[in-house]
Amino acid sequence: MAGVEVALLRGLWFSLCLSICLCQQDCTGVDCPLLDNCINAVLDSGACCAFCLQKGCTCEGYQYYDCVSAGFENGSVPEGDSYFVDYGSTECSCPLGGGRIICHFMSCPEVPPNCIEFSEPVDGCRQCQQLGCFQGDHKYEANHSFQVGPCWICHCPSEGGELMCYREPCDAQNTTDGNSSRHDAIPDRFDQHGQMHSFTRLDRLPFPGNLPLFKVPLLDKEDSDDYDYSPTDFSEEYPSLPVHPTHLAQKQCCIRSLNSIRCDSGVTSAKAGRSCEGDDGNSCMDDSYQVCCSCCALGLWMRRQGQGCDADLHLGPSCGHVFLTCCEEVEARSHQQEAFVLPQLSERKFPKEALSITTSDEVVNMVDVPEEEDECPFHHRQQCQHKCTIAWGSYHCSCFQGFILQQDGHSCSPGIPSTSGNGLCSQRCSTAGGRVLCSCFPGFFLMKDGHTCEDVDECLTHKCLPHQRCVNTEGSFTCRPQITCPPGYHLKSSGCQDVDECAMRKDRCGKDFLCENTPGSFKCIPKQKCLSGFTQDAHGNCVDINECSSLAQPCSSSFACVNTVGSFNCQQKVLVCNRGYHTSPDGASCADVDECQMGSHACGVGQICHNLPGSYRCDCQTGYQFDALRKVCTDVNECWSYPGRLCAQTCENTVGSYLCTCTAGFILASDQKNCEDINECDQKPCSQECVNMHGSYQCYCRQGYYLHEDGLTCEDIDECSQSIGKLCAFQCVNVVGSYLCACPPHGYVMSANGHTCTDVDECKVGSHNCSSEKTCFNLQGGFRCLSFDCPHNYKKVSSTYCERINCAPNSFDCQNSPLRITYYTLSFQSNILTPAQIFRMGPSPVYAGDHVIISITSGNEENYFSTRKLNSFTGAVYIQRKVREPKDFLIEVEMKLLRRGTVTSFLARLYVFFTPSSI
């Protein structure tokens, strides 16, 4: 045993020598601050105290497994981080600054009201799988069109909600004398409450008189079947087929694919604002391009005119579907833009008009232009109404034959070019039936002469935001920030400008004054002039000027100023000087008489004359004083007369003077007054360290030693036996000049601070002796080998989770056994405060009407634990008796869940370990 102690002391001595060689600071007696809520501490090289690198929360008890499952190693959650438990129904977070984990139960989010299909997982929240529309007992998917009866086509919007329905032409058997048959009972539109709403009919729409051309779809033509609806009436039967069925199917498939491509091309052309004219020379093609382009253009126009997408236009299923799709797309964009125009167009001064619809014979867009690819990219082609050409890094627009490029450089109008550009029209010119028609750009209106365009002041009708002001511009307007002008200024388009009160005759100057404008104000200048020595007051009266007070120095110093009406006088001053003074050369003041310089003093021999204001004084020489009785100068004892003021330490009087001396440990300085300290440490009187002091010296010892009674020698301190506080967490070993801390031989290692012991995780480092059938669990200073086996009739789902195998129909014992068995391990220090909650249990998710019963079925023979019901669906396990010594428990907690008339039991097996509160 003695040999072991010697070896330990040698090892400690080697460690001490190594630390001294590495300049490790001695931390004896250092009081390190507590690192509250610190989950990651770092000790720098040479430092005594560690500092906190990361604050957070330490997961304890059952929360440890939740933290580890969420990805937080060692059960430590950084401050501000959070994780979810119970299938996402509960969010647990670590507050800023660390501390305790805080958990909040979150209810499931609301399902959208327009949901027609749901998914409801066993362990999750109810979720919407499909949006749509309701009509009675029927459900319709969003963004689809459906035929309802023989006379109605309905469309469900992309966000679901209300069906938008319109009529289509019916057969004669379905209508009688213009009155609706039984199918007319279907409303124009259904809201979510089954109420009827009417839509604006086509014959009531305010269509303009001049509209661009588009091909009206043939409503009586058989519609193609390449949309999301199905024809409902195919009563006619065909006795025979003209071709083989396979060839017929292939032909129909090809036609359907080609029609779909042509229809998509027509929709794209309508959205781009191009003509809807098709290739009339191709007899193999039907008019799918023209129908889809025209119906899409109608939808774009309807939304742009503010008519809405729910008007009853009798377009038929095919055209109606394209109409609604394009109209709704514009509606969706209108929520994001102030006007439905392309962003490139809205930046121009005169943007092109949006696509409109007509049934007239105008020649606009009717020129037969072959399909060709111009040189401009797509975003430039959108700027030109007809043709676009690249021009040295930019582009320019041009028109087809028979059209004239307008002043905006982008639009084209029909006509013949003239010297004035648009002939009689100031802006746009077009022809109709041989007549010339003038029109204006947006933001202008046509005058009564029918030729001239004037700017529209949009500020008369347009409202800017409350904090903005409207400024009219040519062809448009702009909203600028509201500016408040100070008094004397008024608001103009360029900002605040000065108000000329004189020009506006807003001044208050009298008839005898002239108004002069100043920035933000004005001033009144009198018309008449006053004589010299007078000035005008605010009322225009001439008043005298007091030159004596208004002028800096009206008279010289020997004269006094006297004010007169319109002028002033300077009068000579008369001075009478006292004894010891005489009149100055300028006669303005009295000056002192220097008796010592003039020789008019009465000082005796050996005395010194000192002049004073109005007098003089006779003094003795330095070191002497005048004796008035004997009329002689006697020696002055400076050491008595000026104690502590002449010498730094000791003063000795001499005849006519004095002498300074110093005490032991000091030497007189070169000024012969002050004393300088002698550095005794140069002679090395101490065994270790010496500190020179004022007039003396002091020996002191290094840390770990104390000064002997002789005041010169240092001896070693036994810190382990003499320390008041606890230096080491486990064992203290004294060494020469210091001490070392040691830890128990098993289960602990020394921490970086050299004072505390850190637990060794045998399970992590692999130093345990648990078999492969058991699981290692680390404890403070040790470990345990635990078994997580599943009982008979159970299968292991995870390492700590067992699930019951399906029971036979008549096996009541099996059906009454727990549905699940879960293992948990909890570790606490002994002597913790009681009662303390260590475990909670409840179903997830929770449903209305759930009730649970929590009870301990085994392992609580000594009555250390108890259960408590927190609410109808949550229970908890508490420690009700203080555990004073290390102790292990295995308790079984059963939860019975009553849900919808069925009772289901769950079992939690808790390994509870109490470790020593200190090493």
Side-chain angles (χ1 to χ4, degrees):
M1 183 66 182
V4 175
E5 294 180 354
V6 171
L8 179 60
L9 290 175
R10 288 179 179 175
L12 295 175
W13 176 254
F14 175 76
S15 301
L16 176 63
C17 295
L18 181 61
S19 63
I20 294 175
C21 295
L22 296 177
C23 300
Q24 173 66 37
Q25 184 179 354
D26 192 349
C27 299
T28 304
V30 177
D31 188 13
C32 294
L34 296 178
L35 302 179
D36 295 331
N37 304 329
C38 185
I39 61 175
N40 188 5
V42 177
L43 181 67
D44 288 342
S45 177
C48 292
C49 299
F51 66 92
C52 185
L53 188 64
Q54 176 67 64
K55 286 191 175 185
C57 304
T58 301
C59 303
E60 299 177 351
Y62 62 88
Q63 291 179 341
Y64 176 84
Y65 292 94
D66 294 339
C67 296
V68 173
S69 300
F72 298 102
E73 296 183 359
N74 301 324
S76 299
V77 181
E79 61 176 342
D81 283 5
S82 61
Y83 59 94
F84 293 90
V85 297
D86 296 340
Y87 303 98
S89 63
T90 303
E91 181 182 13
C92 298
S93 60
C94 178
L96 295 179
R100 297 178 60 88
I101 296 290
I102 302 175
C103 297
H104 299 282
F105 175 78
M106 301 183 300
S107 60
C108 291
E110 296 184 0
V111 178
N114 300 332
C115 187
I116 62 174
E117 185 177 343
F118 304 92
S119 66
E120 190 169 354
V122 177
D123 297 325
C125 296
R126 192 183 190 191
Q127 300 177 359
C128 182
Q129 297 295 322
Q130 178 66 55
L131 294 175
C133 304
F134 292 94
Q135 170 55 31
D137 297 333
H138 298 281
K139 302 176 182 179
Y140 302 94
E141 293 185 8
N143 202 26
H144 285 73
S145 298
F146 309 92
Q147 184 166 1
V148 183
C151 300
W152 291 90
I153 294 296
C154 295
H155 180 76
C156 183
S158 58
E159 70 276 5
E162 302 176 359
L163 282 176
M164 295 187 297
C165 300
Y166 58 88
R167 293 178 59 87
E168 64 171 339
C170 298
D171 296 336
Q173 58 181 343
N174 291 331
T175 54
T176 305
D177 298 332
N179 297 325
S180 299
S181 65
R182 58 185 182 88
H183 297 290
D184 292 342
I186 300 178
D188 290 323
R189 184 174 119 197
F190 302 96
D191 60 11
Q192 296 180 356
H193 305 286
Q195 299 296 325
M196 299 183 183
H197 302 276
S198 298
F199 293 98
T200 306
R201 301 297 180 181
L202 179 61
D203 54 358
R204 302 174 188 172
L205 294 178
F207 288 106
N210 52 340
L211 303 170
L213 177 65
F214 85 110
K215 275 266 188 165
V216 179
L218 301 177
L219 300 181
D220 56 349
K221 182 178 179 179
E222 182 180 357
D223 294 308
S224 62
D225 56 351
D226 53 329
Y227 300 101
D228 189 16
Y229 62 84
S230 300
T232 58
D233 189 6
F234 291 96
S235 59
E236 182 179 358
E237 297 183 359
Y238 296 91
S240 62
L241 295 174
V243 295
H244 193 274
T246 303
H247 296 166
L248 180 60
Q250 292 176 349
K251 180 179 179 181
Q252 293 300 320
C253 179
C254 179
I255 294 176
R256 175 173 178 172
S257 176
L258 186 60
N259 288 344
S260 177
I261 295 174
R262 295 279 293 170
C263 182
D264 293 341
S265 177
V267 171
T268 303
S269 297
K271 293 180 180 179
R274 295 194 289 267
S275 171
C276 291
E277 286 290 338
D279 188 3
D280 296 336
N282 192 349
S283 60
C284 297
M285 298 294 179
D286 64 357
D287 59 352
S288 297
Y289 171 88
Q290 298 172 339
V291 170
C292 294
C293 179
S294 302
C295 295
C296 181
L298 178 61
L300 297 174
W301 183 86
M302 287 291 290
R303 173 53 58 185
R304 205 165 300 136
Q305 296 299 320
Q307 300 297 328
C309 302
D310 47 8
D312 188 359
L313 302 181
H314 304 281
L315 301 179
S318 302
C319 182
H321 179 82
V322 176
F323 165 82
L324 290 175
T325 301
C326 294
C327 185
E328 286 184 353
E329 181 178 355
V330 177
E331 182 178 9
R333 287 195 217 164
S334 64
H335 294 295
Q336 303 175 1
Q337 304 177 0
E338 293 183 1
F340 185 72
V341 292
L342 292 174
Q344 295 88 339
L345 298 180
S346 61
E347 297 171 359
R348 300 207 304 260
K349 182 177 180 181
F350 303 114
K352 289 195 301 183
E353 291 184 344
L355 178 64
S356 56
I357 302 174
T358 183
T359 56
S360 65
D361 259 350
E362 284 188 357
V363 295
V364 181
N365 295 332
M366 290 185 62
V367 178
D368 188 10
V369 180
E371 197 68 34
E372 62 180 8
E373 195 70 29
D374 49 28
E375 301 178 1
C376 293
F378 178 73
H379 63 280
H380 285 329
R381 293 202 308 271
Q382 288 183 312
Q383 307 294 325
C384 300
Q385 186 174 4
H386 281 185
K387 295 190 294 184
C388 174
T389 307
I390 293 294
W392 295 100
S394 181
Y395 71 98
H396 69 266
C397 300
S398 58
C399 301
F400 299 136
Q401 184 177 1
F403 290 81
I404 302 173
L405 187 66
Q406 300 298 296
Q407 293 180 359
D408 59 2
H410 302 275
S411 304
C412 295
S413 293
I416 301 174
S418 62
T419 55
S420 61
N422 287 326
L424 299 177
C425 301
S426 61
Q427 289 187 358
R428 288 178 173 174
C429 179
S430 62
T431 60
R435 298 173 54 195
V436 177
L437 299 179
C438 297
S439 60
C440 302
F441 296 129
F444 295 85
F445 68 93
L446 192 64
M447 300 291 288
K448 292 182 179 180
D449 59 6
H451 305 284
T452 309
C453 294
E454 288 290 334
D455 176 54
V456 176
D457 189 356
E458 291 86 355
C459 294
L460 297 177
T461 58
H462 192 276
K463 297 295 184 180
C464 293
L465 296 177
H467 61 278
Q468 295 178 332
R469 60 189 179 93
C470 181
V471 178
N472 186 54
T473 60
E474 185 178 2
S476 184
F477 71 97
T478 181
C479 292
R480 296 181 180 176
Q482 189 66 260
I483 300 177
T484 303
C485 296
Y489 294 85
H490 60 171
L491 186 63
K492 291 291 186 179
S493 59
S494 59
C496 294
Q497 295 184 0
D498 175 58
V499 176
D500 190 349
E501 293 86 356
C502 299
M504 300 175 64
R505 297 185 178 180
K506 291 185 178 181
D507 60 278
R508 298 181 180 178
C509 299
K511 62 181 180 178
D512 297 329
F513 291 83
L514 297 176
C515 176
E516 180 179 340
N517 186 58
T518 60
S521 184
F522 65 94
K523 63 180 180 181
C524 299
I525 302 175
K527 295 180 180 179
Q528 64 176 350
K529 300 290 184 179
C530 296
L531 299 176
S532 178
F534 294 87
T535 185
Q536 278 189 331
D537 59 8
H539 303 286
N541 301 320
C542 293
V543 295
D544 175 57
I545 299 175
N546 188 352
E547 293 83 356
C548 296
S549 59
S550 61
L551 299 179
Q553 191 175 357
C555 301
S556 62
S557 59
S558 59
F559 289 85
C561 179
V562 178
N563 184 58
T564 61
V565 178
S567 184
F568 68 96
N569 294 325
C570 293
Q571 299 180 358
Q572 179 72 42
K573 297 179 181 178
V574 179
L575 296 178
V576 178
C577 298
N578 296 328
R579 182 179 179 180
Y581 294 90
H582 63 89
T583 305
S584 62
D586 60 1
S589 61
C590 293
D592 175 57
V593 176
D594 189 350
E595 295 86 357
C596 298
Q597 183 179 5
M598 296 177 63
S600 59
H601 62 85
C603 295
V605 178
Q607 295 180 337
I608 301 174
C609 178
H610 291 279
N611 185 57
L612 299 174
S615 181
Y616 67 93
R617 185 182 73 244
C618 297
D619 294 334
C620 296
Q621 296 180 4
T622 303
Y624 293 87
Q625 65 181 2
F626 183 74
D627 188 351
L629 296 177
R630 294 184 294 171
K631 304 296 183 182
V632 296
C633 292
T634 60
D635 177 57
V636 176
N637 190 340
E638 294 86 356
C639 298
W640 288 357
S641 300
Y642 310 103
R645 297 170 57 186
L646 302 178
C647 299
Q649 290 186 359
T650 305
C651 178
E652 295 179 6
N653 185 59
T654 61
V655 178
S657 184
Y658 63 95
L659 181 65
C660 296
T661 58
C662 299
T663 59
F666 294 91
I667 187 173
L668 191 64
S670 59
D671 61 0
Q672 301 300 313
K673 293 183 179 181
N674 295 308
C675 295
E676 294 179 351
D677 175 58
I678 300 174
N679 189 0
E680 296 86 355
C681 292
D682 293 339
Q683 306 299 323
K684 299 182 179 180
C686 304
S687 64
Q688 286 191 357
E689 304 294 338
C690 176
V691 176
N692 184 58
M693 302 178 65
H694 195 64
S696 182
Y697 68 97
Q698 176 67 46
C699 295
Y700 76 96
C701 302
R702 301 185 188 97
Q703 197 165 15
Y705 297 85
Y706 71 95
L707 190 63
H708 197 262
E709 294 178 356
D710 59 4
L712 302 175
T713 308
C714 295
E715 295 185 358
D716 176 58
I717 299 175
D718 186 358
E719 295 87 355
C720 297
S721 61
Q722 298 182 10
S723 177
I724 298 176
K726 189 175 182 180
L727 299 178
C728 301
F730 178 66
Q731 183 181 7
C732 178
V733 179
N734 184 62
V735 295
V736 178
S738 184
Y739 69 96
L740 293 176
C741 296
C743 295
H746 303 289
Y748 294 90
V749 293
M750 182 61 65
S751 300
N753 58 18
H755 297 274
T756 59
C757 298
T758 303
D759 173 62
V760 176
D761 191 345
E762 294 86 355
C763 301
K764 186 175 182 180
V765 301
S767 59
H768 61 88
N769 57 358
C770 297
S771 63
S772 59
E773 292 81 9
K774 294 188 178 182
T775 301
C776 177
F777 179 73
N778 184 63
L779 294 175
Q780 189 75 19
F783 65 94
R784 296 289 187 274
C785 296
L786 306 179
S787 175
F788 297 147
D789 293 337
C790 295
H792 175 68
N793 203 34
Y794 285 83
K795 63 179 180 179
K796 178 169 287 190
V797 180
S798 66
S799 59
T800 59
Y801 178 76
C802 300
E803 190 172 85
R804 187 184 67 193
I805 302 174
N806 294 335
C807 298
N810 298 328
S811 179
F812 297 102
D813 293 338
C814 177
Q815 295 177 358
N816 292 331
S817 62
L819 180 62
R820 298 170 186 169
I821 300 176
T822 308
Y823 288 90
Y824 298 91
T825 54
L826 309 176
S827 179
F828 305 95
Q829 290 185 350
S830 57
N831 293 314
I832 64 173
L833 295 178
T834 58
Q837 184 187 126
I838 66 170
F839 186 76
R840 62 177 173 81
M841 196 172 183
S844 177
V846 178
Y847 294 92
D850 285 357
H851 292 279
V852 298
I853 299 175
I854 305 296
S855 62
I856 300 175
T857 58
S858 66
N860 193 25
E861 289 76 10
E862 300 180 55
N863 201 26
Y864 279 102
F865 305 93
S866 64
T867 60
R868 186 180 303 174
K869 191 171 183 180
L870 302 181
N871 50 47
S872 63
F873 51 84
T874 307
V877 178
Y878 287 80
I879 300 176
Q880 63 181 3
R881 287 179 54 195
K882 182 174 291 188
V883 181
R884 304 184 182 277
E885 297 178 354
K887 198 174 183 64
D888 298 347
F889 296 91
L890 174 59
I891 63 175
E892 293 186 353
V893 181
E894 183 184 29
M895 179 188 75
K896 292 185 177 181
L897 170 64
L898 176 60
R899 176 178 290 175
R900 300 174 182 175
T902 303
V903 177
T904 306
S905 64
F906 301 86
L907 185 65
R909 290 184 176 177
L910 308 181
Y911 284 102
V912 185
F913 303 100
F914 289 89
T915 59
S917 57
S918 61
I919 301 177

